[in-house]
Amino acid sequence: MKLQLTFFLTLATFLFFSGCSKEVDEYNKPAVYWYGKIIDSISEGDIDKADDYYSSLQGEHIGSPLLPEATMMLAIAHMHYEEYLLTEHFLNEYVKRYANRNEIEFAEFLKVKAKYMALPNPRRDQVLIADAIHDAKAFKKKYPNSMYYSLVDHMLTNLYLADAVLNETIASLYERIDKPKAAAFYRAKLPQKWIKWNEIERANTPWYKEIFEGDGTSSWYAFLIPDTQSVVSRNTVQNDTNETK
């Protein structure tokens, strides 16, 4: 019995250290080795592992000519998997360390695109819309002859519309809670006078989202709220025709 226990302990120890040895051996590799691992991981859809291999490539071969391509590959891969914050991180790294003038233009275009694609529902993130509009305007000003100019202009127009929808949604909310001055403030924030806002049609909210979020003009639980004036609003407008004089 004692001999069997000793055998199993020895076997377990051997398996443990043999398993660890694979991890220990993953260092001091040529740059092309880490580069290949990054490509393999991206092709398999394991972006986290690709990030780890990138850290090894960057740590062991800081001057490798493979780093610029690896950095851009990871930026595009994270965009493909809708991880837009990491996309921007790798693009910033690319611009700061590796890009020439033409490559900076492409990277900054991708940064605008990443912010634009991060807005599947424009009613959820007012700050991100503002940041995306700022970056798109900055790109158009900096690169007026860019081959990406028309694409950025198209995205910027959609962002203006998204901003207007968000402002109207906020204004409707303030109306429902009896704050007319706040509602008027947001309705006055039309970002561009050249857009014919009366010709703009509100986007249709899918039914499975409308159940929980409403259609942007009202909420599904609106019928539960009493139709009375707010007792806390300082902007309440009194229209009592029976007021005693």
Side-chain angles (χ1 to χ4, degrees):
M1 181 68 180
K2 186 175 181 181
L3 182 62
Q4 290 178 340
L5 181 60
T6 302
F7 171 76
F8 281 118
L9 288 173
T10 303
L11 179 62
T13 303
F14 172 77
L15 292 175
F16 174 78
F17 283 106
S18 63
C20 292
S21 64
K22 291 184 178 180
E23 297 298 326
V24 172
D25 288 341
E26 291 289 294
Y27 67 91
N28 195 26
K29 298 289 187 181
V32 69
Y33 173 85
W34 298 121
Y35 184 78
K37 287 291 188 178
I38 292 170
I39 294 175
D40 291 343
S41 299
I42 291 174
S43 65
E44 294 169 1
D46 194 343
I47 308 301
D48 291 337
K49 186 178 287 186
D51 288 344
D52 291 339
Y53 288 130
Y54 176 84
S55 297
S56 296
L57 172 61
Q58 190 177 47
E60 295 185 4
H61 305 279
I62 191 63
S64 172
L66 296 175
L67 266 173
E69 287 188 26
T71 305
M72 181 56 73
M73 278 195 305
L74 280 168
I76 294 174
H78 281 293
M79 183 182 292
H80 177 76
Y81 285 97
E82 301 181 356
E83 297 174 344
Y84 300 113
L85 289 178
L86 286 170
T87 296
E88 188 168 6
H89 164 75
F90 280 102
L91 289 172
N92 286 335
E93 185 77 5
Y94 183 79
V95 169
K96 182 172 65 175
R97 294 181 179 273
Y98 311 118
N100 60 34
R101 181 179 178 84
N102 293 331
E103 291 166 343
I104 288 175
E105 179 184 334
F106 177 62
E108 291 189 355
F109 163 70
L110 289 182
K111 287 169 65 175
V112 174
K113 183 178 178 180
K115 280 192 171 69
Y116 177 78
M117 293 178 67
L119 289 165
N121 190 328
R123 295 203 301 273
R124 290 180 181 169
D125 201 325
Q126 189 175 17
V127 174
L128 186 56
I129 291 177
D131 287 347
I133 289 175
H134 175 271
D135 287 0
K137 290 171 67 176
F139 183 92
K140 288 178 62 178
K141 183 177 181 179
K142 187 175 182 179
Y143 304 106
N145 300 315
S146 173
M147 63 183 295
Y148 310 110
Y149 186 94
S150 59
L151 292 173
V152 173
D153 192 50
H154 174 74
M155 289 187 283
L156 182 58
T157 301
N158 286 339
L159 288 166
Y160 283 143
L161 297 176
D163 190 41
V165 168
L166 178 61
N167 289 332
E168 176 60 30
T169 302
I170 296 172
S172 299
L173 170 64
Y174 277 123
E175 279 187 341
R176 291 200 296 273
I177 62 174
D178 191 25
K179 291 183 179 289
K181 289 185 178 180
F185 171 79
Y186 278 96
R187 287 220 167 90
K189 289 179 63 175
L190 295 181
Q192 293 295 317
K193 301 297 183 183
W194 51 267
I195 297 178
K196 297 180 180 179
W197 296 105
N198 59 331
E199 297 180 5
I200 302 299
E201 296 183 6
R202 182 184 290 272
N204 294 324
T205 303
W207 64 268
Y208 53 87
K209 290 185 178 179
E210 187 174 343
I211 293 174
F212 301 99
E213 300 178 357
D215 62 358
T217 61
S218 63
S219 301
W220 66 268
Y221 52 82
F223 69 94
L224 297 173
I225 301 176
D227 187 17
T228 58
Q229 287 187 330
S230 170
V231 296
V232 297
S233 173
R234 298 181 179 180
N235 299 321
T236 300
V237 177
Q238 301 292 339
N239 293 316
D240 190 354
T241 57
N242 298 322
E243 185 180 32
T244 302
K245 296 183 180 179

